[in-house]
Amino acid sequence: MTGHALIPRNSLVWLLTAQVVALAPHLPRLPLWVAVLWLGCALWRVQIQRMRWRYPGLLVRVLALLLVTGGVFLAQGTLIGLDAAVMLLLMLFMLKLLEMRRPRDALVVIYLGFFIVATAFLFDQSIPLALFQCFSLLVLVAALVGLQQTPGRNDPARAMRTGALLLLQAVPLMVVLFVLFPRMGPLWSVNAPGQQARTGLAESMAPGDIAELARSGELAFRAAFDGAVPAQPQLYWRALTLSRFDGRSWSRSRFNSAGTPPDWEPQGDPVSYRVVAPASNQPWVFSLRGASSTDERLVLTGDYLLQARRPLAQAMSYGASSRLDSLLQPGGLDPLQQRINLQLPEQGDPRSRAFAAQLRQAYPDDAALVQALLRHFNREPFHYTLRPSPLGQHSNDEFLFDSPRGFCVHFAGAMTFVLRAAGIPARIVAGYQGGEMNPRGNYVLVHQFDAHAWVEAWLPGQGWVSVDPTFQVAPERIERGLQEALAGEGSFLEDSPLAAARYRNIGWINDMRLFWDDINYQWQLRVLGYQSERQLDFFRRWLGTTDWQRVGLISLGLSLLIALPMALWILRPDRQPRDPQRRAWVKLNRRLGRLQLQAATGEGPRAWQQRLEHALPAQRDELGAFFDEYVRLGYATPPGAPTPAATQLNLALRALLQALPRTRPRRPITPLDLPGEGPRL
């Protein structure tokens, strides 16, 4: 058994509460044994406080450290990297409970809690988490306040009020620093090894992959246009080009994307827009045909796609401009590009190859052959569905001639194969098509079920021409979206019954969904998206300069402008005291000062009462009630006992203030007129 714990019991309650709120956002992504470990540490700490268990010795602490290190290694597969480091920090945060002996150790636990709160944003930056973390900060600051309270003055509500006041006082300075302080990569911009791609697209694609992706109602990205939004059939959001075919799946060719884009001819009116893309841990972003951007974080690739220079480890907001009628590489393909975009396996799909030969014989002109193939998809009994039949080794043959039921990637893959077999360079473009307009924020919502694949064929004099065989089979998919295209089949989001987008036809649900999404969009755009580019734009627009020296001086001036009045308000001489006795004394003294009956320096309550009763005999009963309660509250409480509530004192003060006259007596009574004095303050 140990001696009496030096950390008060009320402070331990605060510490355990602070740990719970700091750890809560991390627990859903951690193994169950982590929560069991915290419960064990908390129970041991409580038993120490009750003087029933001892503090763990050196051997136990070393063993515990080895065990949690091994647990992190088993859970993460490594001890190196962000995921493992955060998990190990959480474990040490829990074990620190067993080492606390003095208030200084408790302070270390609280300070660690602030770091734990920050690490939660490595994995999520949503509004609900941000609101919860504000509450976590409040609890941690209240724990700091509670650690300073004595057992006799333990007041949890007062600690929470003080913590809230401290945080509110910090808000103006926080806003100034957020807006004006140089934007560096936030903590959550560090790449987390455990993160997976969350865009839904992949660098390789088999016939059923996009069909599986289309079963998800998750948001892919948002796009806001400067002017009118283009028509739905023009919203082909390019992300990847797939040029390599192994007989089963299509994949990306690094050569096609490498280097600068070949010559192209921008045509048509420019369409300007801003995209907010979520973190994906992948470099590709989304743009319309003929895109360009002045954002230094983006580069235009050799296959005319905008791509980030680094994988998106955080949500990214970028501006782009597109000319939808642009000619892409009309001058011709070099021999290597020709070979890559005509590549087919040596064997496989013999009927598709024979069909391509028939088309070539009937249509010597490439453009005419492409149109003939599109008419084939339009006239034959192809069916657009999320429930395609399984395909075997010769997937294109089986789809074109035996089981003509498929999704967009089936049509795009089969058409690209036939075009290549006919000698026309072609490739698949993977991305998204269409989107849902949110009238509240005037932007387009693109979901994972909008994922789409279409074909680009190279034609002499025209360059890369986009053609979409899906439009020939299910034009409603392109013009009105996936839900309309699958209305008869009933397969739209059938695996996601809780997806809000599934109930877009119900007015009030749809209104709530769009309203919440608009809030999230503004959060992504104006808070998470407020990085160096947007900050410099803000400086140019509102400060008229981007010179950091001038910006620093403005920041310092605004900080002082906020801090000095706040400091003067906090330190003002006439500030109301928090002690209810002292507050009542000051209030009465201020009121009696108008009658020239204020308390003299060093005058005690009974002496002041006696003098007032001589000057105000009509108020003798009210004066007696107030001073009796004042003395009882201040002098009749045993040392160490909780202070009684000041309710009766406040009631007596209110009655006395109401009974006081509004004019001064004829002759003020001083302490010298009285035979004795009461106790001094």
Side-chain angles (χ1 to χ4, degrees), residues 204-241:
S204 63
M205 189 174 299
D209 289 347
I210 287 189
E212 289 300 319
L213 182 60
R215 299 178 185 274
S216 170
E218 293 184 6
L219 184 70
F221 62 93
R222 302 178 180 90
F225 290 83
D226 290 348
V229 179
Q232 190 85 349
Q234 294 181 299
L235 295 179
Y236 279 83
W237 301 98
R238 300 158 55 92
L240 296 167
T241 59

Side-chain angles (χ1 to χ4, degrees), residues 418-630:
V418 172
L419 289 177
R420 288 188 174 190
I424 298 177
R427 61 194 183 190
I428 294 178
V429 183
Y432 296 86
Q433 198 285 320
E436 178 187 12
M437 188 68 186
N438 188 336
R440 291 183 176 274
N442 196 33
Y443 62 90
V444 173
L445 283 163
V446 182
H447 297 87
Q448 295 294 359
F449 56 72
D450 293 314
H452 194 58
W454 61 98
V455 179
E456 277 189 344
W458 190 88
L459 300 177
Q462 301 180 52
W464 290 106
V465 176
S466 294
V467 290
D468 190 354
T470 302
F471 180 77
Q472 305 300 320
V473 179
E476 62 274 11
R477 161 64 185 92
I478 309 303
E479 294 175 346
R480 296 192 296 274
L482 183 67
Q483 187 172 12
E484 292 292 330
L486 300 175
E489 185 177 82
S491 60
F492 179 71
L493 296 179
E494 61 181 345
D495 298 331
S496 304
L498 298 180
R502 185 178 181 181
Y503 306 100
R504 290 187 291 183
N505 295 329
I506 303 177
W508 68 272
I509 294 180
N510 195 53
D511 290 341
M512 290 177 60
R513 179 179 66 89
L514 295 178
F515 175 73
W516 175 245
D517 189 85
D518 184 38
I519 293 176
N520 279 278
Y521 173 66
Q522 300 302 329
W523 170 261
Q524 292 277 349
L525 184 66
R526 304 185 186 281
V527 180
L528 299 182
Y530 187 73
Q531 299 303 321
S532 56
E533 179 190 15
R534 294 183 65 83
Q535 186 183 47
L536 292 177
D537 290 340
F538 175 83
F539 290 165
R540 281 190 288 266
R541 187 182 304 113
W542 296 100
L543 304 182
T545 180
T546 58
D547 179 61
W548 283 110
Q549 186 174 3
R550 292 187 60 188
V551 172
L553 292 175
I554 294 174
S555 303
L556 180 61
L558 287 176
S559 300
L560 292 176
L561 189 63
I562 293 173
L564 287 179
M566 189 175 297
L568 293 175
W569 179 78
I570 294 174
L571 301 175
R572 68 188 188 277
D574 62 337
R575 186 182 179 190
Q576 286 282 353
R578 295 186 178 181
D579 180 23
Q581 284 181 272
R582 184 63 184 165
R583 187 163 57 245
W585 181 279
V586 170
K587 192 171 184 178
L588 179 61
N589 193 48
R590 187 179 302 162
R591 174 68 176 84
L592 289 173
R594 304 174 189 174
L595 307 178
Q596 297 183 351
L597 291 173
Q598 64 270 25
T601 303
E603 187 174 18
R606 291 303 186 189
W608 193 23
Q609 176 188 358
Q610 190 175 4
R611 181 162 60 90
L612 292 175
E613 289 177 350
H614 280 78
L616 304 169
Q619 288 78 33
R620 182 180 300 272
D621 293 341
E622 289 82 359
L623 288 168
F626 172 78
F627 282 102
D628 287 347
E629 187 63 28
Y630 183 91

Side-chain angles (χ1 to χ4, degrees), residues 205-212 248-250 388 391 395 407-410:
M205 189 174 299
D209 289 347
I210 287 189
E212 289 300 319
R248 182 66 183 175
S249 63
W250 294 86
L391 301 177
S395 57
F407 199 59
C408 59
V409 71
H410 293 79

Side-chain angles (χ1 to χ4, degrees), residues 231-277:
Q232 190 85 349
Q234 294 181 299
L235 295 179
Y236 279 83
W237 301 98
R238 300 158 55 92
L240 296 167
T241 59
L242 309 176
S243 303
R244 300 174 61 88
F245 183 59
D246 61 5
R248 182 66 183 175
S249 63
W250 294 86
S251 59
R252 191 182 184 193
S253 170
R254 299 290 182 180
F255 176 80
N256 271 354
S257 301
T260 58
D263 293 338
W264 61 294
E265 299 178 9
Q267 293 187 4
D269 296 330
V271 177
S272 298
Y273 50 93
R274 176 165 289 276
V275 176
V276 178

